[in-house]
Amino acid sequence: MDKKLARGDIQRYTEIQRYLDVARIASWEAGRIIKKGFSSTQRVEWKDDIDPVTECDREAERVIRETISAHFPEHAILGEEGGENHSNSRIRWIVDPIDGTANFTRHIPLVAVTIGVEIDGELVVGIVNNPIMDEEFYAAKDMGAYRNGERIFVSELASLKKAYIAFGLRREPQLREPMMEAANKLYGDIRTIRRLGCAALSLAYIACGRIDGLSEIGLLPWDMAGGVLILKEAGGEVTNLDGSPFDLDEPTILAGSPPFLEYLISVFKDVKLDFTGTKFGPQ
Ligand code: IPD
Ligand code: CA
Ligand code: CA
């Protein structure tokens, strides 16, 4: 930032910084619950045929909500396990207490607490905290993205042939089959595909250059909010699967450094997905 700051800018930075501080504290509180739960066997309940949930998911979201409300009682909170409250507030916290619950129940350490904060619909804070691996990613609008306190940036990929991309699938045949076709095309061009089982970490890993891109479908706002801001502050970009401007309420995402994202858009532009009858589409 080399331009002179106006008083209004300083107020905005201060406001965002307060949200960042509280979001980090909330994610540490939740992280303690997750770390403790990770080493024991969890009783798994099922939201539907394939979607697991545990007491740790609920308990972690409860402490996050408590922490946010203690500082900002009038703000809206949208959380995977607890729904939305105060929905007319200009400030909205978007919370996934455990992204990667399936990994969590199987003792695979790719899990994260993820929180995004919006002012008037614009993301200004992002957190992706993996308490098992002691890795905290965070970002604030126009203030950069960090991993354990160090600035991070997306990869400068020299050749497509060396690219690693995280890939998300759904089981429904009308979604799975077109994505498998796209995977086939990708595999012809790039080094390899990774399926991390945690969308938030996939975005954070692109932000710090470990992987180069992500294509995923069947996501909800809390899977993406925190990671999207971290990625953007690290120099990355996101769109929906068809290349249209990114919308948290759309269930698809493409992400990467700007040149890599352009390549991904060219692969996915003709992929047609029908979300009818799924929880992401018209009911
Ligand atoms: C899931 C993870 C996973 C993605 C699923 C999400 P959850 O979130 O982000 O990577 O493929 O679509 O539902 O259920 O573990 O919070
Ligand atoms: Ca999730
Ligand atoms: Ca979750």
Side-chain angles (χ1 to χ4, degrees):
M1 266 178 288
D2 35 27
K3 63 171 188 181
K4 254 193 173 167
L5 289 176
R7 187 189 295 267
D9 293 333
I10 294 171
Q11 275 167 358
R12 182 174 153 87
Y13 284 123
T14 312
E15 181 188 7
I16 292 174
Q17 185 68 54
R18 283 179 66 215
Y19 301 159
L20 175 64
D21 292 345
V22 172
R24 291 181 69 196
I25 292 167
S27 87
W28 300 336
E29 298 285 344
R32 274 192 273 280
I33 292 164
I34 294 165
K35 195 163 185 167
K36 193 156 165 245
F38 187 74
S39 47
S40 52
T41 302
Q42 296 298 315
R43 199 170 70 81
V44 179
E45 292 164 48
W46 296 91
K47 291 182 183 170
D48 56 30
D49 282 357
I50 52 167
D51 229 356
V53 64
T54 69
E55 201 41 46
C56 281
D57 294 74
R58 295 197 192 98
E59 183 59 12
E61 183 160 322
R62 195 185 59 71
V63 300
I64 293 170
R65 283 177 181 268
E66 241 174 49
T67 309
I68 298 166
S69 299
H71 291 84
F72 308 110
E74 70 291 357
H75 286 186
I77 305 175
L78 168 67
E80 176 169 16
E81 312 305 339
E84 182 150 22
N85 66 352
H86 295 307
S87 44
N88 51 1
S89 166
R90 288 179 54 226
I91 321 292
R92 182 166 76 144
W93 298 66
I94 304 171
V95 175
D96 191 344
I98 305 182
D99 191 40
T101 300
N103 285 345
F104 179 72
T105 61
R106 290 169 171 256
H107 307 284
I108 297 169
L110 294 172
V111 300
V113 183
T114 181
I115 301 174
V117 185
E118 288 177 337
I119 304 179
D120 293 325
E122 182 190 22
L123 283 167
V124 295
V125 164
I127 308 281
V128 174
N129 175 23
N130 179 342
I132 316 299
M133 319 263 280
D134 280 326
E135 273 199 313
E136 184 199 30
F137 298 88
Y138 63 85
K141 177 81 181 152
D142 297 329
M143 295 184 229
Y146 298 82
R147 174 194 163 269
N148 291 352
E150 304 263 321
R151 264 314 276 273
I152 51 172
F153 298 94
V154 293
S155 63
E156 280 180 34
L157 186 65
S159 128
L160 203 51
K161 284 200 166 55
K162 298 209 165 68
Y164 282 60
I165 151 160
F167 193 83
L169 269 178
R170 294 284 309 173
R171 292 164 57 94
E172 296 86 344
Q174 82 273 23
L175 300 175
R176 192 178 69 223
E177 282 157 18
M179 288 300 279
M180 291 305 280
E181 266 177 49
N184 192 23
K185 162 121 185 35
L186 279 175
Y187 246 126
D189 294 339
I190 65 168
R191 167 73 180 78
T192 195
I193 288 176
R194 289 282 182 271
R195 173 89 179 99
L196 303 187
C198 178
L201 276 181
S202 304
L203 290 163
Y205 285 6
I206 306 171
C208 69
R210 283 182 191 157
I211 55 176
D212 306 292
L214 165 71
S215 73
E216 170 119 44
I217 62 169
L219 296 182
L220 290 159
W222 46 78
D223 300 314
M224 303 183 275
V228 161
L229 187 76
I230 294 169
L231 175 65
K232 287 172 97 172
E233 286 293 319
E237 262 310 330
V238 286
T239 62
N240 299 324
L241 204 78
D242 59 3
S244 60
F246 180 70
D247 179 349
L248 262 189
D249 293 317
E250 290 290 321
T252 69
I253 187 168
L254 292 179
S257 63
F260 194 61
L261 180 60
E262 225 173 276
Y263 160 73
L264 288 178
I265 293 170
S266 73
V267 173
F268 286 92
K269 70 177 183 329
D270 298 323
V271 171
K272 295 278 171 273
L273 298 173
D274 179 3
F275 285 98
T276 312
T278 72
K279 64 182 172 188
F280 313 99
Q283 300 302 307

